[in-house]
């Protein structure tokens, strides 16, 4: 396979009101680095959940996700820009951009 993500039978579910909600089940997908990939679907079908999983903001319930460059497994460097405003108006543009990095560095040092 080309460099990119390889999703193998991934599933995501969560508990809500004592019920298990399956967001997706046994999803397999290859997302090459050198192509544009579009994820389409109706509201609530799991598009944002999938993006959060690929950017390590959420975890899968089962399955396997591999990311490789030139057949070498790597840890991906991903960003996710949310539709809703996530800016903190009391910070400058630069401070908003670097805020999450500072929080991550703080977490790593503990």
């Amino acid at each position: 396979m080309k460099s990119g993500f390889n999703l193998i039978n991934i599933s995501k579910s969560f508990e809500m009101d004592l019920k298990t909600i399956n967001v997706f089940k046994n999803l397999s997908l290859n997302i090459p680095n050198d192509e544009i990939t579009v994820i389409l679907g109706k509201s609530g079908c799991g598009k944002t959940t999938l993006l959060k999983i690929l950017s390590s903001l959420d975890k899968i319930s089962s399955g396997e996700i591999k990311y490789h460059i030139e057949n070498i497994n790597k840890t991906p460097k991903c960003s996710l820009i949310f539709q809703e405003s996530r800016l903190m108006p009391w910070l400058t543009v630069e401070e908003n951009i670097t805020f999450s990095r500072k929080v991550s560095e703080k977490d790593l040092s503990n």
Side-chain angles (χ1 to χ4, degrees):
M1 179 190 157
K2 299 178 183 180
S3 296
F5 283 99
N6 185 13
L7 288 62
I8 306 161
N9 294 319
I10 67 166
S11 296
K12 176 64 180 174
S13 60
F14 60 91
E15 300 293 322
M16 187 167 142
D17 297 329
L18 302 175
K19 292 183 181 178
T20 299
I21 309 295
N22 291 310
V23 180
F24 40 80
K25 193 172 185 179
N26 297 323
L27 173 66
S28 294
L29 178 65
N30 292 323
I31 305 173
N33 275 349
D34 62 349
E35 296 179 18
I36 295 173
T37 300
V38 178
I39 303 169
L40 295 174
K42 64 182 182 176
S43 179
C45 73
K47 302 178 299 288
T48 301
T49 300
L50 179 60
L51 292 174
K52 286 180 179 179
I53 288 169
L54 293 177
S55 60
S56 300
L57 295 175
D58 202 351
K59 294 182 180 183
I60 57 176
S61 302
S62 64
E64 185 177 12
I65 298 177
K66 295 181 180 180
Y67 179 77
H68 50 274
I69 297 176
E70 298 175 8
N71 295 320
I72 300 170
N73 285 334
K74 301 270 186 173
T75 300
K77 294 180 182 178
C78 295
S79 322
L80 181 61
I81 301 172
F82 295 95
Q83 286 179 296
E84 302 87 18
S85 176
R86 301 282 189 226
L87 297 177
M88 293 165 269
W90 60 89
L91 297 178
T92 66
V93 172
E94 181 180 1
E95 290 169 333
N96 268 285
I97 292 168
T98 60
F99 178 79
S100 65
R101 182 176 50 180
K102 289 177 186 174
V103 170
S104 295
E105 289 170 356
K106 194 176 189 182
D107 289 342
L108 291 173
S109 66
N110 291 334

